[in-house]
Amino acid sequence: MIRKFLAGLFALHFSLFALAQQKKQEYKADIIVYGGTSAGVIAAVQAAKLGKSVLVVSPDQHLGGLSSSGLGFTDTGDKSVIGGLARTFYARVYQHYQKASAWNWQAQTAYGNKGQGTPAMDGNERTMWIFEPHVAEQIMEEMVKENHLKIYRDEWLNRKSGLEMKGGKITRLTTLSGKKFSGKIFIDATYEGDLMAVAKVSYHVGREANSTYSEQWNGVQALVFQHGHHFKNKIDPYRIAGDKNSGLLTGISIEQPGKNGTADNKIQAYCYRMCLTDKPENRMAFPKPDHYNPKDYELLLRVFNSGWNELFDKYDPIPNRKTDTNNHGPFSTDFIGMNYDYPEASYEKRREIIKAHENYQKGLMYFMANDPRMPQQISIKLKNWGLAKDEFKDNGNWPYQLYVREARRMISDFVMTENEVLGKKAVPNPIGMGSYSLDSHNVQRYVTADGFVQNEGDIGVKAPKPYSIAYQSIVPRKQECQNLLVPVCLSASHIAYGSVRMEPVFMILGESAATAAALAIDGGNAVQDIDYNVLKKMLLNQKQHLVLGD
């Protein structure tokens, strides 16, 4: 009897302990933000400012996405349409660099004022658009602390069984660690759109045909050259020059592009935005990657030997003698054609793709600095550069975030297309503005009909003026999900997304999404049914810009 009693008591104790542990793993808030990108942080800040409880579930340890992971030479476009908390962020960058302590590797007077489309530092408006990665992360963390935000880091959505829905609404998401997050409204602020996809919201991966949305610059764009990131000279694609039987050099596809304007399932290339420095005391030599094969860069040698000399053209200056180094030219940091599987891949497969991109790009820099076949004057100059020791210090000075330029894109009741971006069609119910060019990086590298290597997919078409972005483009179709907002993987065609996909715009849309979420909660409405006129008034009060000239 005593033995049975003790066994029962132990079982009861164990059950109560298990229940207590389970409750410790359950969290509730008005708004659940999935993703620690700049859009995610700004959305959470805005939710808190509106008096809503909010939790950020971030797969990443470091907040800010690309804004704090190397993309410091901001793609501003027309900065006059960047308002709200996005402008607050850039104002805080300005405030940071007004301090003498911010200039530890360079005198402020020596920095210059080069920006992309606007001066780096705008003293009249007290904004600064160019910054070091750690400064962006520091400002994001300050905003988190000031608004008492709770961030759950390194928490990954269980994409197989981690989403519960009832009556067309998400009720709870569960992460791989077992944590459960319940909320009234959910915001997917990831670059991949994982929450959106698990909720079975319609989306697209790849390039649509021009005929789909009556566009000109979508789909395959072979032999269309608008940025200069193509082979300007005739370069032989074969391992043994002139010998087709020797096989193609690394990175060249055996496939041919389709007919121009037709659809495919390919996406524009990814890369890392490296933070480099030529300050010897802060410079680390380019490391040899885990898997290095100099044959992978044979095509690059042929490019240099053809007379190409634009290597350092996109070493864009950021403060303290550092750069935001981006892809430039026919063979550069973009790992063309090696990301097609990424949007739909498992976490494990994504890690493999990410590692392959890291190895490729590290190998590229190591090759150019060390291979004896490189033009000597280029290698000598490149050795003046290296990774900045005071950036990404817990990651070997390598950026945290791969530049996922495009992954999934939602298909909603309204799709942003090039027609809206180029001002050919009006936009209903605007919640923010964009202004950047239609901008797609290369999608594939192939052999042309005359037997030479060429890149395809690089498009740059200037938007004639800033354009509005529709509220309906960040909400799913009502029959699919009634309490989800998607400010990053929004409803846009491939080529329109090439303009929308800029970090300031993601911040703008994150703020607008959180404002709409608060409005839906207060009215007990689906996100599709909120009163737009009320939302508009709130956004204008937040100093957002919705149409040109407001």
Side-chain angles (χ1 to χ4, degrees):
M1 286 289 290
I2 293 174
R3 199 174 289 170
K4 287 183 178 180
F5 174 77
L6 290 174
L9 191 63
F10 175 79
L12 177 62
H13 174 77
F14 181 80
S15 297
L16 290 173
F17 175 78
L19 184 61
Q21 291 299 111
Q22 183 178 350
K23 285 185 176 180
K24 283 183 180 179
Q25 293 279 83
E26 294 186 359
Y27 309 89
K28 292 184 179 181
D30 293 325
I31 299 172
I32 306 296
V33 177
Y34 183 61
T37 60
S38 60
V41 173
I42 294 298
V45 168
Q46 179 59 19
K49 286 183 178 295
L50 292 174
K52 303 305 176 190
S53 59
V54 57
L55 299 175
V56 178
V57 183
S58 173
D60 304 304
Q61 290 281 3
H62 296 271
L63 301 179
L66 261 295
S67 287
S68 57
S69 203
L71 206 168
F73 198 72
T74 305
D75 304 299
T76 52
D78 186 333
K79 64 182 172 58
S80 70
V81 299
I82 300 172
L85 290 173
R87 182 164 283 264
T88 298
F89 171 82
Y90 296 107
R92 293 183 75 148
V93 172
Y94 177 87
Q95 292 164 10
H96 172 85
Y97 285 109
Q98 292 305 299
K99 303 172 186 175
S101 59
W103 300 91
N104 52 343
W105 298 115
Q106 180 183 44
Q108 183 176 354
T109 53
Y111 166 57
N113 207 22
K114 180 187 175 184
Q116 186 172 181
T118 184
M121 191 178 300
D122 188 338
N124 292 330
E125 298 189 20
R126 300 181 66 79
T127 53
M128 188 166 176
W129 307 92
I130 312 298
F131 47 84
E132 298 160 277
H134 76 271
V135 171
E137 184 175 8
Q138 176 185 317
I139 292 171
M140 292 285 179
E141 292 289 357
E142 288 170 354
M143 295 173 84
V144 165
K145 186 176 181 180
E146 291 162 6
N147 290 278
H148 309 289
L149 300 179
K150 182 66 176 175
I151 313 289
Y152 292 86
R153 304 171 197 251
D154 196 24
E155 291 291 342
W156 300 76
L157 173 66
N158 184 332
R159 291 161 59 192
K160 293 182 178 179
S161 59
L163 204 65
E164 298 175 34
M165 298 186 67
K166 184 178 181 181
K169 292 184 178 182
I170 302 170
T171 56
R172 184 164 67 177
L173 71 82
T174 303
T175 61
L176 292 177
S177 71
K179 292 184 176 65
K180 300 178 185 297
F181 298 88
S182 301
K184 298 173 183 176
I185 302 289
F186 291 76
I187 297 176
D188 185 341
T190 63
Y191 290 122
E192 296 83 5
D194 283 343
L195 178 57
M196 170 188 74
V198 176
K200 296 186 173 11
V201 168
S202 297
Y203 63 86
H204 187 79
V205 176
R207 297 184 287 188
E208 299 92 349
N210 276 330
S211 58
T212 302
Y213 298 117
S214 299
E215 295 177 297
Q216 180 181 358
W217 302 112
N218 209 333
V220 175
Q221 298 287 332
L223 303 181
V224 176
F225 308 128
Q226 296 177 338
H227 271 136
H229 305 316
H230 60 279
F231 293 88
K232 298 175 184 178
N233 299 308
K234 293 183 176 181
I235 306 293
D236 191 290
Y238 300 105
R239 293 176 185 170
I240 300 174
D243 182 0
K244 293 183 179 181
N245 295 324
S246 65
L248 292 169
L249 292 172
T250 303
I252 303 175
S253 174
I254 62 172
E255 297 180 8
Q256 285 291 301
K259 183 179 178 182
N260 275 18
T262 59
D264 60 20
N265 60 358
K266 301 178 173 72
I267 54 177
Q268 60 178 307
Y270 300 167
C271 71
Y272 284 94
R273 298 288 285 254
M274 296 179 297
C275 185
L276 307 182
T277 183
D278 64 350
K279 184 74 171 176
E281 302 93 317
N282 194 35
R283 183 182 66 210
M284 186 185 81
F286 295 115
K288 188 175 183 178
D290 296 334
H291 300 284
Y292 174 69
N293 185 350
K295 292 182 180 179
D296 292 343
Y297 308 99
E298 179 67 33
L299 181 57
L300 177 62
L301 275 180
R302 296 184 188 182
V303 171
F304 281 124
N305 291 336
S306 75
W308 186 79
N309 62 353
E310 302 172 19
L311 177 63
F312 301 99
D313 284 11
K314 283 299 291 178
Y315 280 43
D316 291 316
I318 62 176
N320 284 308
R321 283 178 62 171
K322 299 176 188 175
T323 71
D324 168 356
T325 298
N326 195 11
N327 178 82
H328 183 76
F331 191 112
S332 186
T333 57
D334 278 358
F335 200 17
I336 298 172
M338 304 302 165
N339 61 343
Y340 299 157
D341 293 337
Y342 181 87
E344 302 278 35
S346 66
Y347 292 136
E348 181 180 11
K349 179 63 176 177
R350 281 185 189 165
R351 284 192 289 271
E352 292 175 4
I353 294 170
I354 289 168
K355 185 62 177 176
H357 278 72
E358 178 185 331
N359 282 332
Y360 163 78
Q361 201 162 330
K362 283 182 175 178
L364 171 69
M365 305 309 291
Y366 183 84
F367 176 88
M368 290 191 294
N370 295 283
D371 195 284
R373 295 172 296 165
M374 279 287 298
Q376 189 176 18
Q377 69 274 20
I378 293 175
S379 288
I380 291 172
K381 186 175 180 180
L382 187 61
K383 285 179 179 178
N384 291 323
W385 293 93
L387 302 177
K389 290 181 181 179
D390 61 349
E391 300 289 350
F392 318 119
K393 291 190 285 188
D394 59 349
N395 197 45
N397 311 112
W398 192 252
Y400 304 122
Q401 173 68 56
L402 178 66
Y403 195 174
V404 178
R405 289 188 172 92
E406 178 182 4
R408 300 183 180 99
R409 288 171 283 107
M410 183 167 63
I411 303 174
S412 189
D413 289 331
F414 185 88
V415 180
M416 292 289 297
T417 73
E418 71 174 48
N419 298 303
E420 286 75 30
V421 172
L422 299 180
K424 297 177 181 179
K425 288 186 177 180
V427 173
N429 302 335
I431 55 166
M433 300 191 74
S435 62
Y436 207 77
S437 302
L438 299 171
D439 181 52
S440 172
H441 280 233
N442 278 306
V443 175
Q444 55 192 326
R445 179 174 289 148
Y446 69 104
V447 179
T448 62
D450 57 355
F452 298 101
V453 63
Q454 194 50 267
N455 297 331
E456 183 277 321
D458 185 65
I459 295 295
V461 178
K462 184 175 176 59
K465 60 183 180 181
Y467 58 90
S468 300
I469 300 170
Y471 175 63
Q472 284 77 12
S473 69
I474 69 165
V475 296
R477 294 165 176 159
K478 188 176 180 181
Q479 65 268 30
E480 293 182 342
C481 190
Q482 299 175 25
N483 67 335
L484 175 66
L485 294 123
V486 186
V488 177
C489 294
L490 68 157
S491 181
S493 70
H494 154 73
I495 197 59
Y497 194 77
S499 173
V500 173
R501 64 175 178 83
M502 304 303 160
E503 289 291 296
V505 179
F506 287 156
M507 294 186 207
I508 290 166
L509 297 181
E511 178 177 353
S512 296
T515 306
L519 192 56
I521 291 170
D522 290 344
N525 298 319
V527 293
Q528 295 84 0
D529 295 335
I530 63 170
D531 187 332
Y532 171 72
N533 289 323
V534 177
L535 175 62
K536 176 182 177 181
K537 184 177 180 180
M538 294 175 71
L539 295 178
L540 290 174
N541 286 339
Q542 292 158 205
K543 298 184 178 180
Q544 291 261 46
H545 298 284
L546 308 184
V547 297
L548 191 61
D550 66 8

